[in-house]
Structure formats: C-alpha cells, structure tokens
Amino acid sequence: MNKPVNGISNSVNAASNANAEKDDLEQAVLAYGRPREAKAAPKTVHPEIDRLFNSPEAKAIKEEICAVGWKLWMRSYVDGNGGNISCRIGENAVLCTPTLLSKIDLKPEHLCLVDMEGNQLAGELPRTSEVFLHLEIYKHVPQAKAVVHCHPPHATAYAITGCIPPSAVIPEFDVFVGSVAITQYETPGTKQFAETVIPFVQDHNSVLLGNHGIVCWADTPTHAEWYAENLETYCWTLLISNQLGVPYAKIPPAKEQDLLAIKKRLGLPDARFRLKEEMSSHIPERPGTIALAPQDPHANRQSSAVTVRRDEIEAIVKTAVDAAIAALKPK
C-alpha cells in the first residue's frame, strides 16, 4: 500500500504529475500544429475585457506589435510561423501574437489577450503556445512591459553551441545588452521551458535559449526588438572578425566601467553589476576568443565549457600531421 504524503497517496500524486506532464506536452504541440481536439479561442468576451482589448491604447500597441513582427521577418529573425511577441497592458492582461501565423502576415485583428496564467480572454485566433515564457519574465521583472522571442541565425548559432559572446568589445552593445546568459534546453511551450529564464531575468534583458533562439524584454515591443537586433548584429560581427585571423581589441577595463556607469543610469540590467570592478568581464580569456563558457545565475563561469580558437585547432592539427609524417619517414 502507498503511504500517504501530506494526506495524498503516492499513487494520486503520481497520477497528478502524469496529468500535468501530459497537459504541458499538449501545450508544446501547439507550437507545431493544432490538433482537432485543441481548445479554441473564446467565443464570448466579457464586456470589460472587450473594452480593454479594443481600447485606443490597445489598438496602438497591436499596431506596434505588427510592425515589430514585420521587422523580425524582414531581418530573417523568424521563419515559418516562428517567434512570438507580447506586451503587458494591465496588471492581469497581456497582448500576444497567435500561434501558427507568420509574422509577415500579422495584423492587429490577429492578436490575442491573455491573463497572467496564460488563459485566453479575447482574440479570434489561439494564442501562442510559448506565452508562458513571456509570463515568467513579466512575473519576475515588474519593469518588463514587452517581450520578443525569435531565432536570428548568428545569435542562435551561439545558443546551439552552448556558448555566449564576450562583453567589452563594442560600446553600443555593452550599454544596451552587455552580459548575455544562456539557458539549458527544454521543450518549447512547456512549463519547464518557460522557467529556464527565471535565474537570469534580474541581471539580463537578453537571453540565449539553449538549442532554440533568443528572448529579449524591454519597456516597449519596439525596444525589445532593438535588443534582438543588437544581440544578433553583435554575434554576426564577432563571427566575421574571427575570419580576419587576428584577435579583436577589448575595451580597456576603466572604459568598460564608464559604459557600465552609463548603463546603470539608464536603468538597464547587467550581471557585471554584481562583480567587483577588477573582475568585471575580464575574467581570464584567450585573446580573440569569440565564444565563452556560459555564466551561471551568479555570474560564475562554468568550468564544463571549453573555448578554442581556430588558430589553436589548426596548430593542433599541424602538430599531429607533422608527427605522423615524421613517423613514416625511414630511419
């Protein structure tokens, strides 16, 4: 017989957990297609909710979200029906994009309204399956009013290799984004996926999502999209610089502190604020390294990741080839 745990038997607990996992997976399915039995968008809307959803303020934000969706598609930051955008318009009200709709085709009438638990309150189309990622950010960062999730290729290249870009290289990036975190992979659309950002949201406005893409948040949808542009262009620039065959120049530590002071005055987050001045981003790095070991929520470098430059790989290969040739020569 199962022993009771807090008044509930283990078998009941197991059944409850299994149901929760099933519900979570069903949410994830919506990112890839909509089963026939999936719950449809609400047919009737409460008058107060309808007034909020169709207010002049909401209308302006819907148009801004559509403009952001257009920019994401035009910049190749999303493909197919990928990516999602949201904006918090009330204590318990969030506008968000629908599922299974290309961002280039997005129109104001396509947007949805959900509460802070993800329940859809209004909108003709079903809301995005990844809305819970947005909601976790809003719950843990009260100043966040808009969230953009997308899959820009160069930043996503970092996300799939488990690496983060270095800081203190380009001043504009350092001020607006700066330190970047990376999450562990979880199935998109699930509760576990949404919770992966929680350890990082206080110290970062942009996070690489492991094996998936990026998520950025700000005070407006437009500004959140700007951060996505900042991060993608920065990753792209670093990758291009690596092709030149010489190390890039780091911003000197004292000048980096100037940028952090500017950033703090602007009210932007950065994990380096938790570190002492002499540590900053100048934890020992190989010169020219464009991919660093990720940081944990407390900005401690994880020892499990290894960074190797192209010239170091070439040197290793050359040494091995020279040794093999030498071994084949007659003595």
Side-chain angles (χ1 to χ4, degrees), residues 41-242:
K43 298 297 182 182
T44 58
V45 178
H46 190 281
E48 289 186 11
I49 293 174
D50 186 66
R51 280 195 292 273
L52 174 63
F53 187 56
N54 293 294
S55 65
E57 294 80 7
K59 180 180 178 182
I61 293 172
K62 290 177 185 178
E63 291 174 349
E64 182 179 358
I65 289 175
C66 291
V68 166
W70 184 85
K71 290 171 71 177
L72 293 176
W73 192 92
M74 292 297 292
R75 289 180 172 274
S76 297
Y77 291 2
V78 293
D79 54 11
N81 63 289
N84 29 79
I85 310 159
S86 71
C87 185
R88 190 173 186 179
I89 62 172
E91 184 177 348
N92 195 33
V94 175
L95 286 171
C96 69
T97 48
T99 191
L100 298 176
L101 184 68
S102 172
K103 301 307 165 285
I104 194 68
D105 298 323
L106 194 61
K107 294 179 174 58
E109 58 266 27
H110 294 148
L111 296 182
C112 312
L113 185 70
V114 301
D115 63 20
M116 288 293 287
E117 299 306 317
N119 301 304
Q120 186 160 345
L121 306 175
E124 295 182 1
L125 299 178
R127 53 110 173 113
T128 172
S129 62
E130 293 180 332
V131 71
F132 299 106
L133 172 67
H134 300 235
L135 298 179
E136 288 296 341
I137 293 170
Y138 293 133
K139 290 175 182 178
H140 290 85
V141 188
Q143 62 269 35
K145 301 302 178 187
V147 176
V148 168
H149 162 53
C150 55
H151 315 123
H154 300 89
T156 302
Y158 277 83
I160 66 174
T161 54
C163 297
I164 59 171
S167 301
V169 179
I170 296 177
E172 290 79 8
F173 176 81
D174 245 39
V175 169
F176 292 112
V177 177
S179 60
V180 178
I182 184 169
T183 68
Q184 296 293 321
Y185 175 80
E186 287 290 349
T187 304
T190 63
K191 181 180 179 183
Q192 289 87 347
F193 169 70
E195 291 174 346
T196 59
V197 298
I198 294 176
F200 308 106
V201 291
Q202 296 295 328
D203 293 329
H204 305 270
N205 60 20
S206 301
V207 171
L208 298 171
L209 302 171
N211 291 86
H212 188 66
I214 70 172
V215 64
C216 306
W217 54 95
D219 55 339
T220 70
T222 298
H223 290 166
E225 195 275 337
W226 285 359
Y227 296 158
E229 291 184 25
N230 293 150
L231 178 55
E232 169 62 5
T233 302
Y234 185 67
C235 292
W236 190 0
T237 302
L238 288 172
L239 289 166
I240 292 173
S241 74
N242 197 45

Side-chain angles (χ1 to χ4, degrees), residues 164 281-285 292-296 299-304:
I164 59 171
S281 69
H282 292 273
I283 300 171
E285 300 168 5
L292 304 180
Q295 297 174 335
D296 68 17
N300 297 315
R301 195 172 295 275
Q302 295 178 1
S303 59
S304 60

